[in-house]
Amino acid sequence: MSRALVLCVLVCCLGCSFAAGPTSVGIATTDVQEPVQFALGDLRTALVDGGYKVGATGEWTVGVRDKGDRPAGLAGEVPPEAESFAILPQPEARKVWVVGRDAVGAMYGVFELVERVKLGERLERLKPVTQKPYLEFRATNPFLSLPYPFTGSFKDWWFLSEDFWRTYLDMLARARFN
């Protein structure tokens, strides 16, 4: 009985691994702006880490648009609010479209796709996603963590470090702070 169960699990796992083998993915962009380029770096990394081969073309295409215009004949709408996006899969055409209302919305859409790929979702099984900001203004206050009283040397202070700010601002973008 236990041998049959082990054999069944082994066959199922092997079948799943062959069915979900690496697929090549091309990333197509239509004159996207700098925020989207930033997010595309994370997408390339996530796809490679997820077992995809990433290049200029592939069996699958991830298309990104950042002006709210979706390709003709594509079902789904992008919400009208600024910073909103839609992820619109077309499994029959082997494409996934990320369409942002604006450049920031497209960046957020790419980050959402990155999160889904990192969680193990396959492009061929993606469901449509539409999101808009719940709050118009999303921010953090780094000044709450300033040292008090101001004593000692300021030359090694994290607040004056360019590396800190680059990492911190990248994290805020990924967390969808505006």
Side-chain angles (χ1 to χ4, degrees), residues 51-98:
Y52 293 96
K53 297 174 189 170
V54 179
T57 61
E59 299 170 56
W60 275 78
T61 302
V62 175
V64 182
R65 293 191 176 195
D66 64 0
K67 294 175 181 59
D69 59 332
R70 59 184 171 75
L74 185 62
E77 290 295 325
V78 181
E81 292 84 3
E83 301 177 353
S84 59
F85 67 88
I87 298 175
L88 306 168
Q90 288 181 296
E92 66 285 348
R94 301 177 75 84
K95 292 183 180 180
V96 175
W97 286 98
V98 178

Side-chain angles (χ1 to χ4, degrees), residues 18-36:
F18 287 123
T23 303
S24 59
V25 178
I27 298 176
T29 58
T30 306
D31 191 31
V32 293
Q33 297 175 41
E34 192 172 337
V36 180

Side-chain angles (χ1 to χ4, degrees), residues 84-87 98-99 104-114 176:
S84 59
F85 67 88
I87 298 175
V98 178
V99 183
V104 175
M107 176 183 70
Y108 291 161
V110 172
F111 284 143
E112 181 68 24
L113 182 58
V114 167
R176 295 174 184 85

Side-chain angles (χ1 to χ4, degrees), residues 10 14 19 22 31-33 54 82 102 104 117 132 135 140 159 169:
L10 183 61
L14 285 175
D31 191 31
V32 293
Q33 297 175 41
V54 179
D102 50 26
V104 175
V117 169
K132 61 183 180 181
L135 297 172
T140 183
F159 196 79
L169 294 173

Side-chain angles (χ1 to χ4, degrees), residues 118-148:
K118 283 183 176 181
L119 290 172
E121 288 189 47
R122 302 292 299 171
L123 295 180
E124 49 276 10
R125 293 188 185 100
L126 277 176
K127 302 289 183 218
V129 176
T130 302
Q131 291 185 7
K132 61 183 180 181
Y134 180 74
L135 297 172
E136 183 178 341
F137 185 73
R138 302 168 310 280
T140 183
N141 187 347
F143 302 104
L144 294 176
S145 59
L146 293 177
Y148 183 83

Side-chain angles (χ1 to χ4, degrees), residues 37-47 110-111 114 118 174:
Q37 294 296 334
F38 168 67
L40 288 175
D42 285 9
L43 179 61
R44 286 182 185 91
T45 301
L47 288 169
V110 172
F111 284 143
V114 167
K118 283 183 176 181
R174 289 181 180 104

